[in-house]
Amino acid sequence: MAQQRLILTAMAITAVCWRAGLAQGPAAAPPALKPIPRVQVIPLPYDQASFQCEGRELTRYHFGTGLVLPFWYPIVAPGGQTLTRMGHPHDPDSHRHHYSVWISHNKVNGVDFWSDGTGARIVCQRVLQYEDGDDEASMLSLNAWQDKQGKTQLLERRRTAVRPWATASSAPSGKGQPDAGGEWLLIVDLQLEPPGAEPVVLEQTPFGMIGVRMAKSIGVHDGGGRILNSAGQVNEAEVFRKPARWVDYSGAVAQGGAEVVCAGITLMDHPSNPGHPTPFHVREDGWMGASLTLRGPLKILPGQPLRLRYGLWVHRGIPAVREVQPHWEAFSQMVLTSISPD
């Protein structure tokens, strides 16, 4: 009996599907499918967002409210290797605040948001927008910089954008290019403002606003990598706290047979940022950061938000100054995207 019931059920399902096909007619029009955007940001569980180009993840943004602060990890090289790491390779406890690529500052109204263990946190309040496209995918979020008592010291609107970034000859168009060959650009736009009627002071410090902790194999000490800035200065002795348009950190990421595969990241300061060209704090143990307030404090007044932009060009090889400079020039000419409330 059970077998007969299964047969009758299958026959009934077949009949329903057959009648549905007849209702549509033998020449039913196909659905009007829309093109799939080439670059997408995919929301994931546990407050993460995956930025992908043609299905390949380029980076992932972590913004859960249980974190000390949001960050981007991994940063994926054109060959698929991870170019950044979490924490210092030889001092993972006292430098656990090195979160791959992150935004922070050491002294905001006297509060230390740079170090772990202070009780201060940068908390994502909500995601405001996700956008996909053929040239770029982006995410806009609202963050509150809260001290250990939970009081908001600073409000921040943050836009993360990812785009394929082509060879120097075609990059100045400012658009992602089909022939980027796996190289890409991460654009971080920030808008900082007081939460109330009192100004916010970003005090003098070398630590903030953006930091990059490179993979161990790329570090000068551990892997024989190289630090280079826009003035042609090389490694920590020459680059440390010197003003520059950009700093590049490149080195070995894999062993491809008899050849060593190299890649790196160029951290770029936008010319609209205060004090550009900014000093860069670098170390041969594998980190670099743009020091917005090394030369003095910045005061943010109510109604006059501070707008910042940084770019990270993710590339193959170990480029020379002449190879990096066209990419910075293209980045510098890109129109600042509005991230203000409507």
Side-chain angles (χ1 to χ4, degrees):
M1 292 295 294
Q3 186 175 4
Q4 289 179 341
R5 284 197 297 271
L6 287 173
I7 293 172
L8 290 173
T9 301
M11 292 174 63
I13 293 172
T14 302
V16 169
C17 294
W18 180 75
R19 285 195 297 271
L22 287 180
Q24 291 182 359
L33 301 178
K34 297 182 179 180
I36 298 174
R38 181 168 172 244
V39 194
Q40 300 181 59
V41 51
I42 311 296
L44 299 176
Y46 310 111
D47 297 317
Q48 300 175 19
S50 175
F51 287 83
Q52 302 178 7
C53 180
E54 297 177 342
R56 171 178 173 259
E57 184 171 77
L58 303 179
T59 190
R60 186 174 296 199
Y61 185 57
H62 303 255
F63 57 97
T65 56
L67 300 172
V68 175
L69 50 73
F71 59 89
W72 297 267
Y73 178 86
I75 302 295
V76 181
Q81 304 86 3
T82 299
L83 296 179
T84 59
R85 62 175 286 134
M86 302 290 288
H88 193 293
H90 304 293
D91 190 7
D93 183 56
S94 68
H95 283 72
R96 63 183 182 272
H97 59 279
H98 284 200
Y99 291 98
S100 177
V101 176
W102 74 103
I103 299 295
S104 190
H105 195 275
N106 188 221
K107 295 180 181 179
V108 180
N109 288 341
V111 179
D112 181 2
F113 287 92
W114 187 263
S115 308
D116 275 3
T118 67
R121 300 194 306 140
I122 302 174
V123 182
C124 181
Q125 303 294 286
R126 59 185 179 273
V127 175
L128 302 172
Q129 187 180 64
Y130 291 110
E131 285 194 349
D132 304 326
D134 288 332
D135 295 326
E136 178 183 275
S138 65
M139 170 185 175
L140 180 63
S141 57
L142 177 66
N143 298 324
W145 295 44
Q146 299 176 345
D147 61 23
K148 63 180 180 180
Q149 286 80 31
K151 180 181 178 181
T152 297
Q153 297 289 333
L154 181 69
L155 286 175
E156 174 211 342
R157 295 172 72 87
R158 181 180 304 185
R159 183 178 185 267
T160 298
V162 164
R163 58 175 60 191
W165 197 242
T167 58
S169 61
S170 55
S173 65
K175 295 184 177 181
Q177 301 289 337
D179 60 345
E183 296 185 338
W184 57 282
L185 184 69
L186 170 62
I187 305 168
V188 180
D189 283 306
L190 307 173
Q191 182 167 296
L192 310 175
E193 55 191 305
E198 297 298 319
V200 173
V201 179
L202 306 179
E203 299 177 29
Q204 186 172 11
T205 176
F207 301 117
M209 295 292 297
I210 186 168
V212 182
R213 167 53 68 176
M214 304 300 296
K216 183 178 179 180
S217 65
I218 297 176
V220 176
H221 286 331
D222 287 302
R226 185 219 59 191
I227 307 169
L228 175 72
N229 71 7
S230 56
Q233 296 165 311
V234 177
N235 290 345
E236 184 177 330
E238 297 181 7
V239 178
F240 184 72
R241 298 189 180 179
K242 300 289 179 59
R245 294 174 172 178
W246 51 263
V247 165
D248 180 81
Y249 214 132
S250 299
V253 292
Q255 189 78 36
E259 296 183 2
V260 176
V261 178
C262 295
I265 298 172
T266 303
L267 176 58
M268 300 186 286
D269 186 51
H270 196 271
S272 66
N273 291 346
H276 175 85
T278 194
F280 282 79
H281 189 99
V282 301
R283 292 295 189 190
E284 294 188 350
D285 63 20
W287 105 277
M288 60 178 171
S291 301
L292 177 68
T293 56
L294 176 65
R295 294 176 290 203
L298 281 174
K299 182 180 287 188
I300 309 173
L301 300 175
Q304 300 179 35
L306 174 62
R307 185 73 159 79
L308 300 170
R309 169 173 277 188
Y310 298 100
L312 290 88
W313 174 42
V314 179
H315 59 79
R316 55 172 44 86
I318 302 179
V321 171
R322 67 180 183 277
E323 295 172 303
V324 180
Q325 187 61 22
H327 291 274
W328 179 85
E329 290 174 357
F331 166 73
S332 71
Q333 294 165 15
M334 293 168 59
V335 177
L336 288 174
T337 306
S338 175
I339 55 176
S340 297
D342 294 334

